[in-house]
Amino acid sequence: MSYNQKIKEIVRLVRESKKTLALTGAGISTESGIPDYRSPGTGLWEKHDPAKTASLSALRKDPARFYSVNLNRWIAFNHAKPNAAHYALTQLEKMGLLTGVITQNIDSLHVRSGAARVWEVHGHLRTCHCMECRESYSFDYLVQNFKSGDNPPRCAKCKGVLRPDVVLFEDRMNEDFYQATQVISGCQLMLVAGSSLTVYPVAGLPGVAKQIVIINRTPTPYDEEAAVVVHENTGQAFQDIMAEMSKGF
């Protein structure tokens, strides 16, 4: 099947599906300037062992080092802007063709693109909380403390260490993940965009869907089971999908 035939087939599947969900990973945000985790030469995990730098035990053992290694990268996430793929999924939702987005990303780009239903299964960088008293703060408050020389950033009430509301290595999955496992029931079509489908338990979610479409630059473990596989940048693929979609309206 040629690339154009694949795009036409994806559009047909989306139009015919009565319940479609998107599952997105780091690859959907690379065109917004956010590096992914596993790409050879540029992947974030090639530079830092996440088990040592982005884990719950790393935060507890040496919170100052945890923030020194991770915070500037997270601040950069918050300056990124949604790209064509994020906006395309939001448009599909507004057209009534997408139930919502399940995302592994913590960059909030789906939310910023105007998506109404987003399950952020690894959390987000909009808020943080105290590890001692659980008091909640904006993520900006944490950043301001760090930039003022308070490393690690601390709670204004009890002086406990603050932590972002993201799922770190060794953390339990959050409430959004458990909601996603419920909403996926009856999913006829899952659009996987920019995910290598290797990080569990999220990588197991496509197995629930009746059909899968995968748009990812590199192969995934689900490619052989997918109805359509497109090895292309997500931004380009979704621009082409939306262009083809517009022909029928």
Side-chain angles (χ1 to χ4, degrees):
M1 200 184 305
S2 70
Y3 175 77
N4 287 339
Q5 288 173 323
K6 288 180 179 182
I7 296 299
K8 290 178 185 292
E9 178 64 6
I10 292 169
V11 170
R12 184 188 71 80
L13 290 170
V14 170
R15 284 178 175 159
E16 293 183 357
S17 170
K18 290 182 171 58
K19 184 174 184 178
T20 302
L21 285 159
L23 173 63
T24 68
I28 199 173
S29 296
T30 55
E31 291 167 74
S32 294
I34 297 176
D36 65 12
Y37 294 94
R38 291 179 175 79
S39 289
T42 60
L44 291 170
W45 289 350
E46 287 197 352
K47 301 173 184 177
H48 299 288
D49 180 348
K52 295 180 180 177
T53 61
S55 63
L56 184 59
S57 58
L59 173 58
R60 286 173 171 164
K61 181 180 179 180
D62 191 347
R65 181 173 184 272
F66 174 89
Y67 280 109
S68 295
V69 170
N70 295 299
L71 190 56
N72 284 333
R73 168 166 54 91
W74 288 339
I75 292 170
F77 286 10
N78 278 344
H79 291 305
K81 295 180 179 180
N83 63 53
H86 297 100
Y87 286 120
L89 289 172
T90 295
Q91 185 62 28
L92 288 174
E93 181 188 28
K94 290 178 178 178
M95 293 165 70
L97 296 173
L98 187 71
T99 299
V101 177
I102 301 167
T103 186
Q104 297 169 279
N105 301 334
I106 62 173
D107 53 36
S108 295
L109 293 181
H110 287 294
V111 174
R112 286 182 221 159
S113 74
R117 289 161 294 188
V118 184
W119 293 273
E120 297 167 301
V121 296
H122 289 158
H124 57 76
L125 292 169
R126 297 187 298 276
T127 57
C128 64
H129 67 272
C130 174
M131 295 177 70
E132 299 298 330
C133 73
R134 310 290 296 180
E135 181 73 14
S136 184
Y137 297 88
S138 71
F139 188 73
D140 286 342
Y141 175 84
L142 184 156
V143 171
Q144 289 166 6
N145 277 17
F146 181 84
K147 289 185 174 180
S148 298
D150 193 1
N151 186 16
R154 293 187 178 275
C155 174
K157 289 191 173 183
C158 75
K159 301 304 178 183
V161 174
L162 299 179
R163 62 157 291 173
D165 289 328
V166 299
V167 178
L168 301 172
F169 285 86
E170 304 164 355
D171 264 332
R172 294 180 180 179
M173 296 302 290
N174 65 5
E175 181 59 29
D176 272 24
F177 173 76
Y178 295 106
Q179 289 180 11
T181 63
Q182 297 299 313
V183 77
I184 204 172
S185 176
C187 177
Q188 293 187 356
L189 179 66
M190 177 168 283
L191 304 176
V192 178
S195 176
S196 60
L197 296 177
T198 56
V199 179
Y200 283 85
V202 179
L205 295 179
V208 180
K210 186 175 180 180
Q211 288 186 297
I212 312 167
V213 165
I214 296 176
I215 302 170
N216 196 56
R217 291 191 65 179
T218 57
T220 80
Y222 279 89
D223 281 10
E224 291 186 5
E225 300 172 37
V228 183
V229 177
V230 176
H231 290 148
E232 176 61 86
N233 289 336
T234 54
Q236 183 62 59
F238 274 102
Q239 285 184 70
D240 294 336
I241 288 167
M242 298 311 292
E244 181 66 28
M245 186 75 70
S246 68
K247 295 177 182 178
F249 287 89

